[in-house]
Amino acid sequence: MKAFMTAAMLVGWAGLKPRNDESNGKFKSRSTTHGNKYLRKILIECAWGASRTQGCLFNKFSYHQTMVRKKNRQKVQVAIARKILVVIWNILEKGVVYSDVLEKDKTKDN
């Protein structure tokens, strides 16, 4: 992970960074950037699985974005894939153990 100083650099390399081409108040493109297509495809497949896992933080995020905010399902999956890649970078760079936020909430209730 020494090649990527920040998580944003890794996200950009993977091609999951959203573009923001705006001119005079008009949005020209919101598609993802070019990048490592194999890593991007794997992460989006993982995002589909994570969004369907009950009790997972990404499931709650996916539900909120698609049902409450009426976002496109495929765009939400790209956002989840980006979040997964940022989590992976933080785990590898900082050497911390991943713990889902919702798991912490469950332990507080018991």
Side-chain angles (χ1 to χ4, degrees), residues 94-106:
K94 299 177 182 175
V96 296
V97 178
Y98 175 72
S99 62
D100 202 352
V101 175
L102 295 178
E103 289 178 8
K104 289 180 184 177
D105 293 341
K106 289 179 184 178

Side-chain angles (χ1 to χ4, degrees), residues 32-45:
T32 58
T33 58
H34 297 288
N36 189 332
K37 62 182 178 181
Y38 302 109
L39 179 61
R40 184 173 58 241
K41 287 179 183 179
I42 289 171
L43 286 171
I44 290 176
E45 286 295 323

Side-chain angles (χ1 to χ4, degrees), residues 1 4 7 14 21 28 30 33 36 50 55-56 67 74 77 83 88 91 93-94 97-99 102-103 107 110:
M1 298 312 302
F4 306 106
D21 295 336
K28 295 182 178 181
R30 287 286 175 109
T33 58
N36 189 332
C56 180
M67 297 298 171
Q74 292 175 340
Q77 295 309 317
K83 288 178 179 292
I88 291 170
I91 288 171
E93 182 68 25
K94 299 177 182 175
V97 178
Y98 175 72
S99 62
L102 295 178
E103 289 178 8
T107 57
N110 292 335

Side-chain angles (χ1 to χ4, degrees), residues 4-95:
F4 306 106
M5 301 301 281
T6 63
M9 291 176 71
L10 178 60
V11 168
W13 179 78
L16 292 171
K17 191 172 188 177
R19 293 172 49 181
N20 191 8
D21 295 336
E22 181 181 357
S23 177
N24 196 18
K26 294 183 180 180
F27 296 103
K28 295 182 178 181
S29 175
R30 287 286 175 109
S31 62
T32 58
T33 58
H34 297 288
N36 189 332
K37 62 182 178 181
Y38 302 109
L39 179 61
R40 184 173 58 241
K41 287 179 183 179
I42 289 171
L43 286 171
I44 290 176
E45 286 295 323
C46 293
W48 279 104
S51 67
R52 290 187 167 116
T53 303
Q54 293 297 320
C56 180
L57 172 68
F58 301 118
N59 181 349
K60 185 175 180 182
F61 176 79
S62 175
Y63 176 79
H64 181 74
Q65 293 293 318
T66 55
M67 297 298 171
V68 178
R69 297 189 66 198
K70 306 292 184 197
K71 300 281 183 177
N72 185 345
R73 183 92 171 140
Q74 292 175 340
K75 291 180 181 180
V76 172
Q77 295 309 317
V78 172
I80 292 173
R82 182 193 169 281
K83 288 178 179 292
I84 290 172
L85 190 57
V86 170
V87 167
I88 291 170
W89 183 86
N90 281 311
I91 288 171
L92 294 176
E93 182 68 25
K94 299 177 182 175

